[in-house]
Amino acid sequence: MKKFDANIPEGPLAEKWTRYRGTMPLVAPNNKRNIEVIVVGTGLAGASAAATLGELGYKVKAFCFHDSPRRAHSIAAQGGINAAKNYQNDGDSVYRLFYDTVKGGDYRSREANVHRLAEVSTDIIDQCAAQGVPFAREYGGTLANRSFGGVQVSRTFYARGQTGQQLLIGAYSALSRQISLGTVEMYNRHEMLDLVVADGKARGIIARNLISGKLERFAAHSVVLATGGYGNVYYLSTNAMASNVTASWTAHKRGAYFANPCYCQIHPTCIPVSGDYQSKLTLMSESLRNDGRVWVPKSMDDVKAIRTGAKKPKDLAEEDRDYYLERIYPAFGNLVPRDVASRAAKNVCDEDRGVGATGLAVYLDFAAAIVRYGKSSALSEGIANPSMEEIKKLGRAVVESKYGNLFEMYEKITGENPYYTPMRIYPAVHYTMGGLWVDYNLETSVPGLFAAGECNFSDHGANRLGASALMQGLADGYFVLPYTIGTFLSKEIRTPKISTDLPEFAAAEKNVGDRIKQLLSINGTRSVESFHRELGVKIMWEHCGMARNAEGLTKALGEIKKLRKKFWEEVYVPHTDKNGEEFNPELEKALRVADFMEMGELMIRDALNRNESCGGHFREESVEQDGEQKGEAKRNDKDYMYVAAWEFTGVDSEPILNKEDLTFNDIELKTRSYK
């Protein structure tokens, strides 16, 4: 077991980043023109990083497996982006954003990285507004804010329910400018399948051209991964179907430590599963919890009546409804963090008080908000003695202006109109807080390999607060990585252009080619999809989902090994070329699922090793037994206040656990309470 250095700068926490940025090694403009950087992934983190590096003068090669960077999964983030601007004058500050993020992550994140994130958050809004991102505005023209879970201030900037899409358009515009100037060379429909490490440094990638199927070599002085999370290990998740772990996992196999893989966020406001035919789930933005009230019926008679259709939810009187989040967590109510809200929903459904045909749903109700907004509108418009119907009509117009596209999406999927009947929601896999281990510079344990955005572990601890994913992606891409990558590249100014003729490139390409040939030669009887579903639903979600225990995890470890063996014996990948040199989406999927199998095993090992409950990792053996926090997650700071950084030793070998101890000098460690 290794203890290692995160390269955190000396000095007071609030001054670390400013001092470090002013003293770190730089690369002169005339040298940047001779240095090449590969950026894999063009979502918010990747597009902003590639655009900024290109603007600085580096020669950048950017890769995405989509037909355009505009299709990156970042567009799916609907609700907003956090920043400590304090426009509402409600007590927000850089320190409060820092504190909320560390507390929300259950004290399992690195203090210095989180404070830096809070500091640069304010710059992100200015950058994006200057790019033309259409943030919502107040009547006077100032940018509007709303609240998200785990906080008691309004710091979330938003563009209706399309924030991720609008931010990505801004980053894509910046990227497109650099492409037109020739500083960035864009490779669409290319998927990274291996990392090339030469002389101990990341020097390039092997990518598969997804149109022709040919393997191609690409070299650079440094490699940046910005490839998102691994939530699709669970099969059913809010992630786009193509989202995967392959780039990060191949880097892990080449020596990059994988940190905290068991930390997976379950989002509480997802449209419930409706049948076995589904291949993904749809998220309703957390912003809806600003105005929606979460409830289930109090009595079993009402539960049964609603499930059979004998009663409709609007038929239940207020006193017959259990607004359980408001009851259990009065200080935060419906805006408790995601892990807390998800477990609470699971608990009431475990009590058999869930609604919907399956009983695995709770209500998110906007009736009270519609009336409240309607009365306010009637007053502002000078309508005397409005009828209740007039009030509701005015209120629905206000709600539509705030959440209209989300309500339309819900109605199209479910056939139910949420203006008149409550939404049904249930927790689902969403975001992964684990990822490649990085130091303060965002450099992995492989020199020259950097990781940005969701594919690194550094900022969110065991649970990400809502609206912080977009913040981290743009912070890393625009304001952190372009500085910190210089700590490595400043030593490379005498290194000539890296050649793809190096033997390490040939070996890596052969490794990928052999894996493809092996998959295509199996000619089994089972589809890739069937293996993915069995892995995600029957093993990962069942035993390593919202709740975990030693018995289930031990069982899952055995099951996943058996399933992986079956996969390599029984999978069928249709093809016409034995080398895979053709357009073949099934081969793409097979390669990704093969990596999910191995990634899932590491997640289970990490969950089994961490015998405590924290954030999105809830061990049933570690629960508060009495007092005000009875039934809540019980952390074990004495034994587990560390980052678990796993080292790859072989597919069939046990990985090595390395630990980075976490210290908190500016925040008091305490039991996380939202009551």
Side-chain angles (χ1 to χ4, degrees), residues 375-388:
K375 288 180 178 179
S376 178
S377 293
L379 281 172
S380 67
E381 294 180 22
I383 302 174
N385 301 315
S387 67
M388 183 53 69

Side-chain angles (χ1 to χ4, degrees), residues 208 212-215 516 520 577-583 587:
R208 182 171 180 266
S212 68
K214 293 185 181 297
L215 299 180
I516 289 172
L520 297 178
D577 185 284
K578 64 180 181 179
N579 296 317
E581 292 187 354
E582 60 181 338
F583 175 74
L587 175 57

Side-chain angles (χ1 to χ4, degrees), residues 469-524:
L470 303 183
M471 176 176 62
Q472 187 208 352
L474 291 181
D476 286 355
Y478 281 137
F479 299 108
V480 178
L481 183 76
Y483 282 102
T484 60
I485 198 170
T487 59
F488 174 81
L489 293 178
S490 62
K491 304 166 190 170
E492 298 294 319
I493 59 174
R494 292 181 178 83
T495 303
K497 183 176 180 178
I498 308 298
S499 171
T500 57
D501 292 330
L502 291 173
E504 289 85 355
F505 279 88
E509 183 179 334
K510 183 178 184 302
N511 175 61
V512 175
D514 289 347
R515 189 173 175 87
I516 289 172
K517 289 174 185 175
Q518 184 181 0
L519 272 172
L520 297 178
S521 67
I522 296 169
N523 287 320

Side-chain angles (χ1 to χ4, degrees), residues 239-482:
N239 289 264
M241 282 296 292
S243 298
N244 63 84
V245 73
T246 291
S248 296
W249 190 249
T250 56
H252 175 56
K253 285 183 165 182
R254 293 293 181 183
Y257 296 159
F258 214 105
N260 299 334
C262 76
Y263 289 164
C264 185
Q265 182 169 80
I266 313 294
H267 199 294
T269 55
C270 182
I271 297 177
V273 176
S274 56
D276 290 340
Y277 58 86
Q278 281 184 267
S279 57
K280 80 174 298 295
L281 298 173
T282 304
L283 179 69
M284 290 287 98
S285 169
E286 182 170 311
S287 62
L288 296 173
R289 288 201 277 148
N290 273 280
D291 290 311
R293 301 178 71 192
V294 181
W295 65 275
V296 291
K298 286 182 178 178
S299 77
M300 284 306 302
D301 288 340
D302 286 336
V303 170
K304 292 174 183 176
I306 284 177
R307 287 183 188 171
T308 59
K311 279 187 179 180
K312 295 182 178 179
K314 63 182 181 181
D315 296 333
L316 263 66
E318 282 291 300
E319 60 269 20
D320 296 326
R321 303 179 179 193
D322 179 13
Y323 295 97
Y324 59 87
L325 291 178
E326 298 171 29
R327 170 175 56 83
I328 302 171
Y329 307 103
F332 285 75
N334 295 295
L335 285 173
V336 291
R338 293 173 176 180
D339 61 319
V340 176
S342 293
R343 283 196 294 274
K346 180 181 185 299
N347 289 340
V348 295
C349 290
D350 286 348
E351 294 170 4
D352 203 25
R353 289 197 289 144
V355 298
T358 63
L360 294 177
V362 299
Y363 286 128
L364 183 62
D365 196 334
F366 292 85
I370 287 171
V371 171
R372 184 176 72 252
Y373 285 130
K375 288 180 178 179
S376 178
S377 293
L379 281 172
S380 67
E381 294 180 22
I383 302 174
N385 301 315
S387 67
M388 183 53 69
E389 187 53 42
E390 287 177 300
I391 288 172
K392 289 181 178 179
K393 183 178 180 180
L394 290 168
R396 284 193 288 269
V398 175
V399 170
E400 183 180 6
S401 70
K402 298 179 70 159
Y403 311 113
N405 62 311
L406 300 174
F407 277 48
E408 290 169 15
M409 182 168 64
Y410 180 87
E411 185 174 6
K412 285 181 180 179
I413 292 171
T414 66
E416 299 172 359
N417 189 332
Y419 292 106
Y420 297 93
T421 188
M423 288 183 178
R424 288 176 294 109
I425 57 170
Y426 192 69
V429 172
H430 179 52
Y431 185 93
T432 50
M433 286 74 66
L436 293 177
W437 180 89
V438 292
D439 65 7
Y440 190 75
N441 294 322
L442 303 186
E443 189 172 16
T444 71
S445 50
V446 175
L449 176 67
F450 292 77
E454 188 180 356
C455 80
N456 77 35
F457 88 97
S458 66
D459 292 357
H460 305 300
N463 174 61
R464 177 175 68 78
L465 291 184
S468 287
L470 303 183
M471 176 176 62
Q472 187 208 352
L474 291 181
D476 286 355
Y478 281 137
F479 299 108
V480 178
L481 183 76

Side-chain angles (χ1 to χ4, degrees), residues 77 98 114 137 153 179 234 414 418 457 495 572:
F98 157 67
V114 179
R137 293 180 181 268
V153 296
I179 293 172
Y234 289 90
T414 66
F457 88 97
T495 303
Y572 173 66

